[in-house]
Amino acid sequence: MAEQAERVVPLTDPPGAEEKGPSKSALKKAAKEKEKAEKAAKRQAAEEAQKKEAESSDISKNDYGELPMDGAWPSDFPSKEDVPRVQLPQLLEYFGDASRTETPGGPHVVFRASVENARSQSAKLAFIVFSRGGASIQAVVAASDELSRQMVKFCSSVPAESYVLVHGLVKAPKEPVKSTTIQNLEVHVKKLFVEGKAEAQLPMQVADAERPIPVEGEEEAVDGRPIVTLSTRLNNRVIDLRAKHNQAIFAIKDGVVALFEEFLRSKGFRGIQTPRLLGSASEGGANVFEVKYFATKAFLAQSPQLYKQMLVAARFEKVFEVGPVFRAENSNTARHLTEFTGLDMEMEFEEDYHEVVSLLEELMLFIFNGLKDRYARETDLVRSIYHVEDFKLPSAGAVPRLPFSEGISMLRAAGEELGDFDDLSTPQEKRLGALVLEKYGSDFYVLDEFPLAIRPFYTMPTAATQASYNPASPNAGYSNSYDFFMRGQEIMSGAQRIHNATFLEQRMRAHETPVDPMGEGLRDYVAAFRAGAPKHGGGGIGLERIVMLWLGLPNVRLASLFPRDPGRLTP
């Protein structure tokens, strides 16, 4: 059998297997894309050439722009010797006399400010509103032989809230500018550099913060602008704090501290600084924050109370402190914070604890009258947003001072049902405040001699209570203690303190919430009185509450820079 011839496999692909080229539609599409890209490149090149040409002919190219982050001073900027540096609020002081603004070629000023808004009127004209330190002024940027259209365009596009460095000419406007605080002056901009540029889209605007916080259930403002809630404002607190009335709130808050210290120093008090980290919940309450402290744990101080007393026992005689206070209370109300600023004082007295009460009344009237005299503008600004009646003050020496029993009687006469020794609820406190205002014409009053059972263990019982002491009812009766109220809300709690170690131990064990006088954190406190201590008393004032109630703010969080409450630890 003859061998079958070996089949030869062709080296070429079979018919139809050859590779197909691009389709006509694909080639057409590619050509269009190429043409489009070429046109875009030509357009970009033309724009860049036009930009370069514009820059080369921009007579103001060195007079505007963004400053480098290293803070380098712009070239050719006027020196301090040639042009004064001013703050916006000073402009009225310097140039209130309109004739000074008519000086040919001047007066020139240099200042830093933030941009409230910038708007283009035309290719040759822009208006900017600058603000700083509670003052605002209108500025004009006008194209001329010495100022380019490019600079006008740049200035009109600076985002609101940007921080800028300005050199300008102070002039009198043709008509008063009603939208700014400085109405009889305006600035004609000569140079403008952006020092800190804001983003174009911010979470909220300062103008949103300059309206009252919305009431619960409110969805849309009367003017149609979106409502910005308290939560949104606090989440963006840096922007929120730029609002003029917020600046005023914290000027007033600082003023309260200054007045507090001024008065007490004039009375011979000494400032102190006590610990905020404690080894135990020393006052016996459960409302303390526990923190890790190396290999053990510590607690944040509820108040400087025990240390104030120990310092009086150490012969410091009269002490005061301004510092943070921490309360682990899950109170989500408009009047509670978990961290606030305490204004505390403690002092010896000669004969009767009412010496302390009288000094505290004098202190509060000094603060109130100081706010009226020194912070009237700030107070009026805030109250123009949060409308509230003027705070009605009694005359010196005429502060209403009611025994607790009288307060109970007034509430009962007004229809309230409560027992002789019941603690007052917040609504009852407000009701009593209204009754006191009606009867005595004062928004400020003192409630004296609280029931012993509702005061801390270190509170001295009244002489009558001690005389009728019954071991079966160790917390019956009244105490030498007092609360101060503004607009029907408590701002300060105080008392005469027990200064005898033996009696102090007895009261600690017999208290409604007993504590061990030999326990950690209390042992040293009790020992301080074994070495002999004078009669003494004092009080602790909530700073934020004073500010809130003086101004009529609807929420105490508005009086705290970065408030802390059960649901907020940031920012």
Side-chain angles (χ1 to χ4, degrees):
M1 181 176 177
E3 289 187 4
Q4 186 175 352
E6 185 177 301
R7 185 179 178 183
V8 178
V9 179
L11 295 176
T12 58
D13 292 334
E18 62 270 9
E19 184 178 340
K20 294 182 179 180
S23 66
K24 289 183 178 180
S25 60
L27 290 172
K28 189 175 180 180
K29 182 178 180 181
K32 285 183 176 181
E33 291 292 334
K34 181 180 179 183
E35 183 181 1
K36 184 178 178 180
E38 289 174 348
K39 286 182 178 180
K42 287 180 180 179
R43 185 168 56 250
Q44 183 178 354
E47 289 175 355
E48 289 179 355
Q50 187 178 9
K51 183 179 178 182
K52 288 180 180 180
E53 183 180 354
E55 288 177 351
S56 64
S57 62
D58 185 357
I59 56 175
S60 303
K61 62 182 178 181
N62 295 324
D63 296 335
Y64 68 94
E66 293 187 31
L67 291 179
M69 287 189 294
D70 62 7
W73 199 258
S75 60
D76 300 328
F77 210 78
S79 67
K80 291 182 180 180
E81 291 73 22
D82 295 330
V83 178
R85 273 52 168 161
V86 299
Q87 301 289 328
L88 284 189
Q90 296 174 329
L91 288 179
L92 281 176
E93 177 186 344
Y94 288 170
F95 308 109
D97 181 1
S99 63
R100 293 193 61 193
T101 65
E102 298 171 2
T103 305
H108 286 245
V109 293
V110 170
F111 60 88
R112 283 183 167 86
S114 61
V115 174
E116 275 196 15
N117 62 71
R119 57 187 175 88
S120 173
Q121 190 76 2
S122 68
K124 294 184 177 181
L125 183 65
F127 291 96
I128 306 175
V129 174
F130 296 120
S131 65
R132 187 174 183 184
S136 59
I137 192 170
Q138 176 178 275
V140 179
V141 189
S144 66
D145 292 341
E146 298 176 348
L147 195 149
S148 67
R149 291 190 180 193
Q150 294 96 318
M151 180 171 173
V152 173
K153 182 178 180 181
F154 174 84
C155 292
S156 67
S157 64
V158 176
E161 298 308 310
S162 296
Y163 202 66
V164 294
L165 173 65
V166 182
H167 168 214
L169 185 65
V170 180
K171 289 290 184 182
K174 293 179 180 179
E175 295 181 358
V177 183
K178 296 181 179 180
S179 60
T180 57
T181 63
I182 301 175
Q183 300 184 352
N184 64 333
L185 298 173
E186 66 181 10
V187 175
H188 290 213
V189 174
K190 298 301 179 185
K191 300 175 185 286
L192 186 146
F193 293 90
V194 177
E195 195 166 76
K197 187 175 181 180
E199 294 182 356
Q201 295 296 324
L202 296 174
M204 61 177 282
Q205 297 297 319
V206 172
D208 297 326
E210 293 182 335
R211 295 178 290 161
I213 59 174
V215 298
E216 189 173 351
E218 186 177 18
E219 295 179 355
E220 188 172 325
V222 176
D223 60 5
R225 291 162 61 189
I227 281 293
V228 180
T229 64
L230 176 61
S231 179
T232 299
R233 297 180 192 205
L234 296 180
N235 288 341
N236 300 280
R237 192 58 162 157
V238 169
I239 299 175
D240 184 48
L241 287 172
R242 293 178 179 178
K244 294 182 182 68
H245 76 283
N246 280 334
Q247 296 281 325
I249 287 172
F250 292 99
I252 290 168
K253 187 176 182 180
D254 179 58
V256 173
V257 174
L259 290 163
F260 174 80
E261 294 184 342
E262 178 183 336
F263 177 85
L264 291 179
R265 291 186 195 282
S266 74
K267 299 296 182 180
F269 281 73
R270 183 190 307 182
I272 58 170
Q273 299 79 37
T274 60
R276 291 299 178 269
L277 282 172
L278 308 180
S280 67
S282 57
E283 292 189 42
N287 300 323
V288 293
F289 289 109
E290 180 180 317
V291 297
K292 184 178 180 182
Y293 191 74
F294 301 106
T296 183
K297 61 184 178 182
F299 300 88
L300 296 180
Q302 291 173 286
S303 81
Q305 180 57 48
L306 306 189
Y307 289 99
K308 288 190 303 177
Q309 291 183 248
M310 293 166 74
L311 287 169
V312 171
R315 303 294 188 260
F316 275 51
E317 299 181 5
K318 299 177 180 180
V319 296
F320 74 85
E321 180 168 17
V322 178
V325 175
F326 302 91
R327 299 283 170 86
E329 298 174 353
N330 193 15
S331 297
N332 295 279
T333 74
R335 62 196 291 263
H336 285 93
L337 295 168
T338 53
E339 178 184 351
F340 61 91
T341 304
L343 307 179
D344 278 89
M345 57 80 68
E346 203 78 16
M347 60 176 283
E348 295 182 17
F349 61 83
E350 294 291 333
E351 298 177 11
D352 185 87
Y353 78 97
H354 286 114
E355 296 168 28
V356 183
V357 179
S358 295
L359 184 135
L360 284 166
E361 290 173 351
E362 190 181 348
L363 164 65
M364 295 309 303
L365 291 179
F366 181 82
I367 290 173
F368 297 146
N369 285 309
L371 292 177
K372 286 180 65 177
D373 295 341
R374 305 181 196 181
Y375 296 88
R377 182 180 66 84
E378 290 85 353
T379 297
D380 290 344
L381 174 59
V382 179
R383 288 182 182 170
S384 71
I385 296 175
Y386 295 104
H387 304 289
V388 66
E389 295 286 335
D390 283 344
F391 193 83
K392 294 178 176 58
L393 288 174
S395 57
V399 177
R401 189 187 298 175
L402 285 64
F404 186 86
S405 56
E406 183 179 338
I408 294 293
S409 297
M410 291 175 66
L411 286 169
R412 285 174 178 164
E416 294 286 334
E417 295 183 3
L418 67 169
D420 289 347
F421 299 101
D422 288 349
D423 200 359
L424 301 183
S425 66
T426 298
Q428 288 168 340
E429 286 182 352
K430 292 181 178 180
R431 184 74 183 279
L432 182 56
L435 295 172
V436 170
L437 177 61
E438 181 181 355
K439 183 175 180 179
Y440 297 98
S442 175
D443 277 313
F444 172 56
Y445 76 97
V446 179
L447 202 57
D448 192 17
E449 294 189 1
F450 273 72
L452 182 62
I454 61 175
R455 305 302 275 197
F457 62 78
Y458 42 73
T459 306
M460 182 70 77
T462 63
T465 296
Q466 292 184 58
S468 60
Y469 176 74
N470 181 356
S473 301
N475 295 297
Y478 295 97
S479 63
N480 292 345
S481 62
Y482 39 86
D483 280 0
F484 283 34
F485 293 83
M486 291 175 64
R487 300 190 195 272
Q489 296 195 54
E490 180 235 320
I491 60 161
M492 192 209 76
S493 183
Q496 178 183 352
R497 326 299 187 178
I498 297 172
H499 62 283
N500 177 278
T502 302
F503 187 45
L504 179 59
E505 289 181 348
Q506 176 187 326
R507 286 298 306 144
M508 293 169 80
R509 293 190 173 98
H511 193 258
E512 288 285 313
T513 307
V515 292
D516 181 6
M518 293 297 103
E520 192 70 29
L522 291 172
R523 184 170 54 248
D524 295 329
Y525 165 71
V526 175
F529 303 107
R530 298 190 198 284
K535 293 178 294 184
H536 62 282
I541 307 168
L543 172 59
E544 287 79 6
R545 286 222 186 145
I546 292 179
V547 176
M548 176 182 75
L549 296 167
W550 173 258
L551 295 172
L553 302 178
N555 197 302
V556 72
R557 289 160 183 79
L558 297 172
S560 176
L561 285 170
F562 299 98
R564 295 293 180 258
D565 59 34
R568 180 173 292 279
L569 271 174
T570 59

